[in-house]
Amino acid sequence: MTIREAQEEIMDEFSMFEDWMQRYEYIIELGKSLPIIDAKYQVEENLIKGCQSQVWLHAENINGNVVFTANSDAILTKGIIAILIRVFSNQKPVDIVEADLSFIDEIGLKEHLSPTRANGLVSMIKQIRMYALAFQAQ
């Protein structure tokens, strides 16, 4: 599945809900299905700076694709990183770096987060792209 296809699938899923309380519940459910990061990667150096909650993000280059795992100590934040991992994991570094992220605005995610969580979302995206850039440079 391409990045765009994953984004469209998420936009379709979000459009099924009538209000933001239902969307928040869905984001929390997505977080519960997040493949948990191996405990050995849940360390200080994998913490995303700029997040209100603790979010650990690990990336590996497997056969030319970036594979992400993550965890968070907050249920909503865990759901947000789950959405991002669903879009960006198992993708080529160049595709991650060049991806259009307008789907975030289209589902209304950023505008329905507190300012600190919205900053955390930006930090998560930045870290995902930094990993992709590092793998692209290899």
Side-chain angles (χ1 to χ4, degrees):
M1 180 178 291
T2 67
I3 289 175
R4 188 68 203 156
E5 289 168 342
Q7 291 173 343
E8 286 174 5
E9 195 175 85
I10 290 167
M11 288 186 291
D12 288 345
E13 291 166 8
F14 270 73
S15 71
M16 291 188 287
F17 301 108
E18 294 177 20
D19 62 40
W20 263 92
M21 283 313 297
Q22 292 174 330
R23 289 182 182 126
Y24 288 131
E25 289 172 18
Y26 182 63
I27 292 170
I28 291 166
E29 285 303 311
L30 290 174
K32 291 177 183 174
S33 67
L34 180 68
I36 298 297
I37 192 170
D38 190 308
K40 69 182 177 187
Y41 299 124
Q42 204 161 309
V43 293
E44 181 77 27
E45 67 188 41
N46 288 332
L47 273 174
I48 295 178
K49 311 293 182 264
C51 284
Q52 175 182 359
S53 311
Q54 290 189 305
V55 180
W56 296 270
L57 180 68
H58 174 70
E60 292 181 69
N61 187 338
I62 299 176
N63 300 322
N65 288 340
V66 185
V67 177
F68 293 101
T69 55
N71 196 11
S72 176
D73 62 352
I75 57 172
L76 188 62
T77 306
K78 197 172 183 174
I80 294 167
I81 193 69
I83 290 170
L84 296 176
I85 285 178
R86 185 168 152 197
V87 170
F88 295 115
S89 197
N90 292 304
Q91 301 294 334
K92 302 232 171 294
V94 65
D95 296 334
I96 295 169
V97 171
E98 295 176 357
D100 175 4
L101 298 176
S102 59
F103 87 102
I104 292 170
D105 292 328
E106 289 185 38
I107 64 174
L109 184 58
K110 205 183 224 177
E111 70 184 84
H112 285 91
L113 295 174
S114 68
T116 52
R117 287 218 195 283
N119 288 342
L121 171 64
V122 170
S123 296
M124 290 177 212
I125 292 166
K126 194 167 159 184
Q127 188 61 48
I128 286 169
R129 285 194 157 152
M130 292 300 289
Y131 275 123
L133 281 168
F135 288 129
Q136 194 176 5
Q138 288 179 347

